[in-house]
Amino acid sequence: MKVFSRLVFVSLWAVVVLAAQDRPPNIVIIFGDDIGYGDIGVFGHPTIRTPHLDRMAHEGQKWTNFYAAASVCTPSRAGLLTGRLPVRSGMMHDRVRVLFPESWSGLQQSEVTIAEMLKQKDYAAMHVGKWHLGHLPDYLPTKQGFDAYYGIPYSNDMDATQPGDKRRHALLHPDRIDYWNVPLMRDEETIERPANQYTVTKRYTEEAVKFIEKNKDRPFFLYLAHTMMHVPLFRSQEFTDRSMAGIYGDAMEEVDWSVGQVLDALRRNGLAENTFAVFTSDNGPWLIFDTHGGSAGLLREGKGSTWEGGMRVPAIVWRPGTIPAGTTQTGMGSTLDLMATVAAMTGTKMPDDRKMDGYDLGGAMKMTSPSPRNEMFYWRGTRLFAARLGDYKAHFFTQTGYRDRGETRQNPPLLYHLGRDPGEEHDISRENRGVVARIRKLAQEHELDIDEVENQLAKIGDRN
Amino acid sequence: MKVFSRLVFVSLWAVVVLAAQDRPPNIVIIFGDDIGYGDIGVFGHPTIRTPHLDRMAHEGQKWTNFYAAASVCTPSRAGLLTGRLPVRSGMMHDRVRVLFPESWSGLQQSEVTIAEMLKQKDYAAMHVGKWHLGHLPDYLPTKQGFDAYYGIPYSNDMDATQPGDKRRHALLHPDRIDYWNVPLMRDEETIERPANQYTVTKRYTEEAVKFIEKNKDRPFFLYLAHTMMHVPLFRSQEFTDRSMAGIYGDAMEEVDWSVGQVLDALRRNGLAENTFAVFTSDNGPWLIFDTHGGSAGLLREGKGSTWEGGMRVPAIVWRPGTIPAGTTQTGMGSTLDLMATVAAMTGTKMPDDRKMDGYDLGGAMKMTSPSPRNEMFYWRGTRLFAARLGDYKAHFFTQTGYRDRGETRQNPPLLYHLGRDPGEEHDISRENRGVVARIRKLAQEHELDIDEVENQLAKIGDRN
């Protein structure tokens, strides 16, 4: 009898273990807003303390040549979730660079998101945080494969309640939460307006942890996109005046705390080894806001620009037991690659009826093969400003971040070697005309590969 | 009999263990040359791969507000070894900023070095590498407490064999090793001239490891000061064209390998837990050499300047079991503090007949107390250019690194908050006149505390 019951127990245990092994990994994408390349301890910031992100890197892997899909918010997010350059989905425009409360379009339902792809394996999927791919009913997360949504659907500096001349002051003095009349939504309903942004990082975190706890016995996809570090900066009482680095440091340290809470929830529930977690940012730091904007470290320029500081972002990937701990990957990667990487590791299939722009980075994360990505295209609106091939980057046009002094056509293109000169300081186009010609050809072929599509960001204001 | 022999064995073992516990820790100081704040992976460099330094940080502690004693070589080294500002030992001059082959003085024998202090406990002491505190017989390491010396006694860009107009080319094209007729010394003898700089990092490392192996049963002090990353850059064949970051990356990756070799020798001999190891640099990156110079990351300026990039250096401390692994200390520290820190942890006494400038950082390293250092003085030659108090830094004079465009007197002083604005971009002196006044007072008191001494760097060329 005893032997029999032990047998039953062992068999049951084997079934549970096999089922668990069979279960595809959970996917957690934590996306920061306007967090610069240099804003994190392990990426070199000297006074912002990020022990949880540092630990994530010590247990996981830092990517130092990792790019957002665009240098501003809306197109960057469209690229991450679809694995396609936002210029393919109509989510980039030369002047209307992001969606606004007055926009009446968004990411089209014909686009397939990572959440929709994972439905092939019945993943539970939740989006917590900033969406910014359309706030009207047809464009919400719940229409793009997410079972649930909780968050502020666009940027936290929108819906200003007072005229523009008070705006900059309000952006830099977060004493009046109600200056920004942004909604907080649950699923398809607004539940709070203006959203209390003081506690938004904390509440996003609570929602994320609750989702993990609730779904610990089935595969899940958590897409946690913080409203921070977009100005106006807010942080909860526990983090107020806690950092050496002012309000920016306070808010960043709360985002870091949030990362710790999410990873702890995974560890606590025995899910660490079967979860692939990524931390990255939607674009570079918003430098026009002085100490309320972050830092790109040694990279040039910031948000809005196609210099490296605008699009190269901090990135940490984590899957204990699979991704070797404490390693650094200097190969190229992009948020555009997350869909292909997730597809490969979950055994799901990306759409095959359209052009995709991602690579499976799984081998590079395991350090068993080099990164398959060898090129990067830097779009600004609907025009290709720069392209990288291997270590070389050519700029065909340059323009500084958000200070709209207009573009400069570079002919011949500027050329930088990003290995030796990551700060893009020494133009070497004269000595390397062959390299310039090769990148120019690559860029031309790439542009020919982009089909014309209906622009969704142009759909703003008066419909007539 | 069996019991008896076991008893003897256990007793002997107890004696060995007790003796080992009683033994003060070994001290290993690894000092890079011109390595910038941003040149190391864990300090944010995106393309130079430093897995050994990264591991040292993961197992140890990163200091992100750590300063060299000066912004150029000779005075920085004098400060580290004596725990005194170099202006106190006559090792700073306004125009002759370092020692040269034509210099006929050096660090005075009346100065007490860390090596001499450790003789109180009979430490074996060796200096491997760049000395730069006097190359004539009276000033060599063997006259300053070191039992043995192996290295190039001054900078590797000295003793040029050809006229100045070929110099810059030779500095940036390390194809002719004999352009630089620098000596390689063992103890007090020149054993090779010109030194074969291709293999200098490798041979320094071999000497260091040999010294560790030889002294594994007694306390030792190893001061390993690399000739690299001072231009002209050289690296051994194994590291040639190996990095993504050109020759700078190659040479830096060889220095990183060297750190790995030294720490491995400590681990292999069971000495890790009883060894305090530090890695840091003598000053910021030499920016005038383009991609042959390093990077200060987000810090402003480089070597030779009193902006942060000139004097704040990467620093990693390591003592497994004592210093908590993977932590970051954002409190202030300086190479000036190493002597006091070492004195406290070894139970030796610093000289008490002179003014000292260091603090014991042991508690801050253990994270049991904040750093006792709350101020930093930025001397350029014999004048105080800037001072830091807490997070605030005031500049009384500014001057760019080595490009000698002359100094600018800042009146009122420029003021920066280094917590919120580590890149020294936003002068806030107007809004903080009280802080400026406080730092000015601190600076005046400090200047009054500096006694006039004979200048040793002025002793150059003709003795008459």
Side-chain angles (χ1 to χ4, degrees), chain B residues 186-384:
Chain B
R186 182 175 296 282
D187 301 331
E188 303 180 1
E189 307 296 327
T190 292
I191 56 171
E192 186 178 298
R193 190 162 194 165
N196 180 353
Q197 294 197 48
Y198 290 120
T199 55
V200 81
T201 298
K202 188 199 278 190
R203 289 189 287 165
Y204 285 177
T205 307
E206 287 163 0
E207 288 289 329
V209 169
K210 244 185 267 175
F211 172 76
I212 291 170
E213 304 273 2
K214 189 177 147 196
N215 294 285
K216 62 185 180 201
D217 297 322
R218 58 177 291 198
F220 60 80
F221 170 37
L222 169 66
Y223 170 44
L224 168 55
H226 282 287
T227 287
M228 294 297 110
M229 309 290 300
H230 198 291
V231 293
L233 299 172
F234 295 98
R235 72 289 201 211
S236 66
Q237 208 171 356
E238 293 91 313
F239 286 87
T240 299
D241 298 332
R242 208 186 73 157
S243 87
M244 291 171 70
I247 187 171
Y248 193 90
D250 287 357
M252 185 66 220
E253 291 184 18
E254 189 163 10
V255 168
D256 176 69
W257 163 85
S258 172
V259 171
Q261 292 293 302
V262 170
L263 297 190
D264 275 351
L266 295 169
R267 291 184 193 104
R268 195 167 58 233
N269 288 290
L271 302 171
E273 300 208 337
N274 203 36
T275 300
F276 170 63
V278 187
F279 175 89
T280 188
S281 176
D282 68 337
N283 47 244
W286 214 356
L287 298 177
I288 56 170
F289 291 109
D290 302 345
T291 56
H292 287 240
S295 163
L298 55 56
L299 302 181
R300 185 163 169 179
E301 263 276 357
K303 173 171 178 172
S305 129
T306 48
W307 294 98
E308 289 294 292
M311 292 180 63
R312 201 191 300 189
V313 283
I316 303 170
V317 298
W318 182 87
R319 187 175 171 188
T322 302
I323 296 172
T327 49
T328 297
Q329 177 53 268
T330 55
M332 262 189 265
S334 166
T335 56
L336 291 167
D337 302 327
L338 291 178
M339 191 175 204
T341 305
V342 165
M345 69 173 67
T346 58
T348 52
K349 283 201 172 17
M350 292 192 291
D352 55 7
D353 60 347
R354 63 197 74 196
K355 287 173 179 154
M356 304 295 294
D357 295 292
Y359 295 92
D360 172 12
L361 303 180
M365 288 175 185
K366 288 180 193 153
M367 306 287 259
T368 52
S369 56
S371 171
R373 178 175 282 283
N374 196 36
E375 79 290 328
M376 249 300 291
F377 299 106
Y378 305 71
W379 288 82
R380 184 183 164 111
T382 57
R383 286 189 311 150
L384 186 66

Side-chain angles (χ1 to χ4, degrees), chain A residues 96 100-105 135-136 456-464:
Chain A
V96 187
F100 290 88
E102 303 75 28
S103 299
W104 41 270
S105 187
H135 64 290
L136 297 180
Q456 305 304 331
L457 303 194
K459 298 174 178 173
I460 183 166
D462 193 349
R463 287 196 186 220
N464 301 320

Side-chain angles (χ1 to χ4, degrees), chain A residues 163-293:
Chain A
D165 56 337
K166 298 201 172 161
R167 191 179 145 85
R168 188 169 167 98
H169 182 270
L171 280 171
L172 298 181
H173 294 84
D175 45 1
R176 278 193 46 214
I177 204 83
D178 57 349
Y179 188 93
W180 314 100
N181 193 35
V182 290
L184 178 74
M185 300 184 76
R186 181 174 296 283
D187 300 330
E188 302 180 2
E189 307 296 328
T190 293
I191 56 172
E192 186 177 298
R193 190 162 194 166
N196 180 351
Q197 294 197 49
Y198 290 120
T199 54
V200 81
T201 299
K202 189 199 275 190
R203 289 190 286 165
Y204 285 177
T205 308
E206 288 164 0
E207 288 288 330
V209 169
K210 243 186 268 176
F211 172 76
I212 291 170
E213 305 274 2
K214 190 176 146 196
N215 293 285
K216 62 185 179 200
D217 297 320
R218 57 176 291 199
F220 60 79
F221 170 39
L222 169 65
Y223 170 46
L224 168 55
H226 282 288
T227 287
M228 293 296 110
M229 308 293 298
H230 197 291
V231 293
L233 298 173
F234 294 97
R235 71 289 200 214
S236 66
Q237 209 170 354
E238 292 92 313
F239 286 88
T240 299
D241 298 331
R242 207 184 76 155
S243 88
M244 293 171 68
I247 187 173
Y248 193 89
D250 287 356
M252 186 64 220
E253 291 184 18
E254 189 164 10
V255 168
D256 177 68
W257 163 86
S258 172
V259 171
Q261 292 293 303
V262 170
L263 298 190
D264 276 350
L266 296 170
R267 292 185 192 103
R268 196 167 58 235
N269 288 289
L271 301 171
E273 300 209 337
N274 202 36
T275 300
F276 171 64
V278 187
F279 175 88
T280 190
S281 176
D282 68 336
N283 47 244
W286 214 355
L287 299 176
I288 55 170
F289 290 109
D290 302 345
T291 57
H292 286 240

